[in-house]
Structure formats: C-alpha cells, structure tokens
C-alpha cells in the first residue's frame, strides 16, 4: 500500500480546500439530527439530489421519531418511492424511529456505537450525523472519498475502514472537522471516477496521480 502524503503537503492541500470553501456542508437537506439521520439512511445507492426531492415535503411535516411513527410505513413508502430500495428503507426508518422513541427518549444518540444499533444505520451514516449535527470530527468515507484518498494519496487504504483511519492519522487536526466534506465535494465535482478534471483541480501540482487528464 502506498504511503500517505507528507504532513507539509497535507497542510497545503487542505489550506487550499479551506480557502476555496471555508465552511463546507453536506448537500443533503435536513432540519435537525433526526431528519439528517433519515436522509443519510435514504441516500444509500441514491443521489443527494434524489433524496432531497423525496424528503422536501416529508421534512415539512415530519421532524421527530414520534411523528415518523404516526406517519406509518405505508405513507412513508409512498413519500420516498422515487428512491432506490425505497420499501426496505421505509421499513428501516420506521424501525429506527421506534427504537429512538423507546430507548432514547425520541432523541438521536450522540455516540457511534449507539447510532449503529439503529436499523439501517452503518458506520458511514453514523459518522455523517456525528460530524454534521454534533460537531465531532468523524470521517464518513464513501466511494468519492475512497477514490480521492487513494488517487491523491491523501489517505490511501485498501477499504473504507483503512481510508477512514488514514484520514484520522494523516490529515492535520485543524482540518479534521471539515475534511470529509471537502473530499466528497472534490470527488463529486473535480476528481471524478472515469475522467478526473485535472485541469481545474486546485491541488493538481501536489497530486501524485500519474494519469492526469488534459
């Protein structure tokens, strides 16, 4: 496995990201910790744009686990039917809402372990919630971050867990809170999978990727 970029290069890369976008946020639209939890759970194998369209009206009426339970699985299924795997996701959202009401007093718990006991909630989902609503520097590694981490050697790793650890180990602490947002956006709009847009890349001169595009 290749080595991560040295500290001085990491500082320069993330300084440029910060200068271009000082306060990056998730592109998922949400109202509070619960609606973000739902939105992220719905986003598996779906785009943020698609999830936002499906939840726009839903989150105007439903912002708590109890309200979600009152809505019910059939109505929720109808609300999110434009999203992939919508039937199973609706069941998971109702089940996690029930768990939140019964075990956590209707509040979203503030620990990764507790979040990951909820139906349909994995480590990535838990990390998004911890980062975006509880201001904990958790790194939610998706396909974009996995690709960027390895391609640029910011955080190389053979799987999402090792990339997550590589970010925590190598990215300077001052950038940890916003790191995964910067990397997701970079992967989504610049360092794309099939044809990275190297000519507009703000870190092109620092990136060791050999197959740069013109």
């Amino acid at each position: 496995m290749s080595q991560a970029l040295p500290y001085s290069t990491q500082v320069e890369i993330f300084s440029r990201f910060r200068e271009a976008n000082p306060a990056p946020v998730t592109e998922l639209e949400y109202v509070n910790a619960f609606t973000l939890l739902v939105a992220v759970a719905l986003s598996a194998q779906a785009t943020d744009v698609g999830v936002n369209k499906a939840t726009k009206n839903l989150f105007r009426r439903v912002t708590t686990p109890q309200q979600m339970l009152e809505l019910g699985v059939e109505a929720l299924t109808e609300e999110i039917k434009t999203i992939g795997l919508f039937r199973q996701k609706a069941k998971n959202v109702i089940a996690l809402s029930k768990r939140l009401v019964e075990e956590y007093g209707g509040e979203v718990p503030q620990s990764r372990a507790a979040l990951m006991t909820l139906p349909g909630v994995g480590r990535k989902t838990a990390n998004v919630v911890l980062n975006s609503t509880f201001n904990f520097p958790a790194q939610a590694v998706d396909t974009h971050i996995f690709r960027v981490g390895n391609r640029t050697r910011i955080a190389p790793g053979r799987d999402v867990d090792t990339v997550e650890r590589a970010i925590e180990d190598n990215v300077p602490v001052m950038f940890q809170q916003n790191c995964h947002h910067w990397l997701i956006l970079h992967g989504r709009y610049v360092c794309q999978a099939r044809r990275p847009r190297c000519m507009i890349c703000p870190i092109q001169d620092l990136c060791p990727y050999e197959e740069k595009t013109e």
Side-chain angles (χ1 to χ4, degrees):
M1 188 189 306
S2 59
Q3 292 293 315
L5 294 174
Y7 180 81
S8 59
T9 307
Q10 300 269 8
V11 170
E12 179 61 26
I13 283 173
F14 284 98
S15 294
R16 292 182 190 183
F17 285 152
R18 182 173 62 187
E19 183 177 358
N21 187 0
V25 295
T26 177
E27 293 187 317
L28 287 170
E29 296 172 359
Y30 64 99
V31 178
N32 53 23
F34 173 67
T35 54
L36 178 61
L37 177 63
V38 171
V40 181
L42 295 178
S43 70
Q45 299 183 36
T47 66
D48 288 359
V49 172
V51 172
N52 289 340
K53 287 181 179 178
T55 59
K56 184 175 182 178
N57 291 325
L58 176 66
F59 290 163
R60 287 173 179 165
R61 298 179 290 116
V62 177
T63 59
T64 69
Q66 184 59 47
Q67 289 173 341
M68 190 67 76
L69 291 178
E70 292 169 1
L71 180 67
V73 69
E74 290 185 7
L76 177 58
T77 301
E78 183 65 23
E79 289 277 357
I80 66 170
K81 64 183 180 182
T82 56
I83 301 174
L85 306 175
F86 64 95
R87 289 188 176 86
Q88 184 58 50
K89 289 177 180 178
K91 292 177 182 177
N92 285 341
V93 169
I94 294 299
L96 72 83
S97 298
K98 186 171 187 290
R99 182 81 62 84
L100 289 174
V101 169
E102 293 179 348
E103 296 187 22
Y104 299 101
E107 300 293 328
V108 176
Q110 297 186 32
S111 84
R112 185 183 290 118
L115 286 165
M116 289 176 65
T117 67
L118 301 173
V121 177
R123 187 178 182 90
K124 185 184 77 171
T125 296
N127 282 348
V128 172
V129 173
L130 291 173
N131 183 289
S132 294
T133 61
F134 299 129
N135 299 314
F136 179 77
Q139 308 301 330
V141 178
D142 67 353
T143 56
H144 295 300
I145 293 181
F146 183 79
R147 177 178 67 256
V148 172
N150 279 286
R151 185 181 275 171
T152 64
R153 288 196 9 238
I154 288 172
R158 64 185 175 275
D159 53 40
V160 295
D161 290 337
T162 53
V163 169
E164 181 181 336
R165 177 60 62 84
I167 291 173
E168 294 173 346
D169 288 349
N170 293 286
V171 175
V173 169
M174 69 189 92
F175 303 114
Q176 289 272 339
Q177 180 64 45
N178 293 319
C179 177
H180 91 273
H181 292 302
W182 282 319
L183 294 181
I184 286 174
L185 294 171
H186 189 64
R188 187 172 288 168
Y189 298 111
V190 180
C191 196
Q192 296 171 335
R194 294 185 180 180
R195 186 173 175 80
R197 305 173 69 193
C198 298
M199 295 308 294
I200 67 166
C201 177
I203 62 168
Q204 180 189 21
D205 58 313
L206 303 173
C207 175
Y209 182 61
E210 294 182 355
E211 301 174 35
K212 288 188 172 69
T213 59
E214 295 296 327

